[in-house]
């Protein structure tokens, strides 16, 4: 009887321990779940953007004027302020970024006038040009190194011809040509980018004015531009 009583007590204890283990397994864990990991999205150059720029332009050839004794002669390289607006679109695939950009610029790089043998030949430094270009480059996180090539147009100003009846005159015909260049752009924030860019612009050389089928004054429309710009990128 004593052995049976001990056996019954041991069996009861074992059942109680097993029941408590099952009940504990059903209770919620005391430990908090691991916080969800939210990855910070990587910066991308893809998207539309618009902005403004300013800089310096310098002609790469000599403006000329007409002298009755020596035909076409004289002139020098001209330089001045350049500034305007731009806009475009980028698409990024891995490290590669391709896109298109257009801009419109004021440019004070036309001939500012010349004096020859006591006669001053008036000039006009005011002008404009615009471009429509393809861009391609490599992105290193927030830095973009790019090259650009495309179409250019504009009227850069230049010398004025002397018309005996109408005085100094200058035509305003738009010229067309091409441009190429490159630069560096950096994303200061997710929306604002800053860039430094150089362009070479080559427009067809035009005559400022013709009198009696004689070209009085000629101008050179090749020039280089160095400019800095700020863009807003639309997400």
């Amino acid at each position: 009887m004593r052995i049976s009583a001990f056996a019954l007590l041991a069996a009861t204890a074992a059942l109680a321990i097993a029941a408590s283990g099952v009940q504990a397994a059903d209770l919620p864990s005391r430990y908090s779940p691991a916080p969800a990991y939210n990855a910070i999205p990587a910066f991308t150059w893809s998207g539309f953007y618009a902005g403004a720029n300013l800089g310096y332009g310098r002609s790469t050839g000599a403006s000329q004027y007409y002298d009755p004794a020596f035909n076409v002669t004289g002139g020098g390289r001209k330089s001045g302020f350049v500034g305007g607006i731009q806009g475009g679109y980028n698409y990024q695939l891995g490290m590669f970024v391709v896109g298109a950009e257009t801009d419109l610029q004021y440019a004070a790089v036309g001939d500012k006038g010349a004096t020859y043998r006591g006669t001053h030949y008036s000039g006009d430094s005011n002008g404009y040009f615009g471009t429509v270009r393809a861009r391609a480059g490599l992105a290193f996180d927030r830095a973009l190194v790019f090259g650009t090539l495309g179409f250019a147009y504009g009227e850069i100003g230049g010398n004025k011809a002397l018309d005996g009846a109408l005085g100094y005159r200058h035509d305003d015909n738009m010229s067309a040509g091409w441009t190429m260049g490159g630069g560096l752009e950096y994303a200061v924030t997710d929306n604002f980018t800053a860039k430094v860019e150089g362009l070479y612009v080559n427009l067809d050389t035009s005559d400022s004015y013709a009198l009696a089928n004689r070209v009085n004054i000629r101008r050179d429309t090749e020039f280089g531009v160095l400019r800095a710009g700020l863009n807003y990128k639309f997400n």
Side-chain angles (χ1 to χ4, degrees):
M1 289 294 293
R2 183 177 299 176
I3 296 175
S4 300
F6 278 115
L8 181 59
L9 182 61
T12 303
L15 290 174
I17 292 173
S20 64
V22 173
Q23 186 178 7
D26 293 337
L27 293 176
S29 173
R30 298 179 183 179
Y31 298 100
S32 301
Y37 176 70
N38 294 322
I40 300 175
F43 175 80
T44 176
W45 288 91
S46 296
F48 290 95
Y49 63 89
N53 69 82
L54 55 85
Y56 172 84
R58 180 172 175 81
S59 66
T60 60
S63 297
Q64 297 175 331
Y65 57 88
Y66 178 80
D67 182 273
F70 299 99
N71 200 7
V72 176
T73 185
R77 296 185 178 185
K78 309 299 178 182
S79 60
F81 171 79
V82 173
I85 56 175
Q86 73 271 340
Y89 178 80
N90 288 320
Y91 179 75
Q92 182 171 355
L93 182 62
M95 289 185 62
F96 297 98
V97 178
V98 295
E101 181 175 287
T102 183
D103 60 10
L104 184 60
Q105 308 284 133
Y106 166 81
V109 297
D111 192 358
K112 299 171 176 61
T115 299
Y116 180 72
R117 299 181 66 179
T119 300
H120 179 71
Y121 292 80
S122 178
D124 184 3
S125 63
N126 297 315
Y128 74 92
F129 76 95
T131 69
V132 179
R133 295 170 284 109
R135 297 205 317 168
L138 291 175
F140 302 91
D141 191 17
R142 291 179 174 267
L144 174 65
V145 180
F146 65 88
T148 184
L149 175 68
F151 171 76
Y153 62 93
E155 204 288 308
I156 299 303
N159 291 322
K160 296 180 180 180
L162 177 60
D163 184 317
L166 303 175
Y168 284 106
R169 293 179 60 81
H170 169 265
D171 70 4
D172 294 317
N173 294 330
M174 185 183 73
S175 300
W178 59 276
T179 181
M180 66 179 298
L184 172 66
E185 191 165 359
Y186 184 79
V188 182
T189 70
D190 287 347
N191 293 104
F192 286 97
T193 68
K195 70 174 182 176
V196 178
E197 181 179 47
L199 289 178
Y200 169 75
V201 183
N202 188 322
L203 304 178
D204 291 339
T205 301
S206 301
D207 301 316
S208 292
Y209 186 65
L211 178 63
N213 295 322
R214 184 186 71 188
V215 175
N216 282 5
I217 293 180
R218 180 176 174 272
R219 59 196 158 115
D220 194 327
T221 52
E222 299 176 41
F223 56 96
V225 172
L226 180 63
R227 61 190 182 183
L230 183 67
N231 287 320
Y232 180 83
K233 178 177 172 294
F234 301 94
N235 289 332

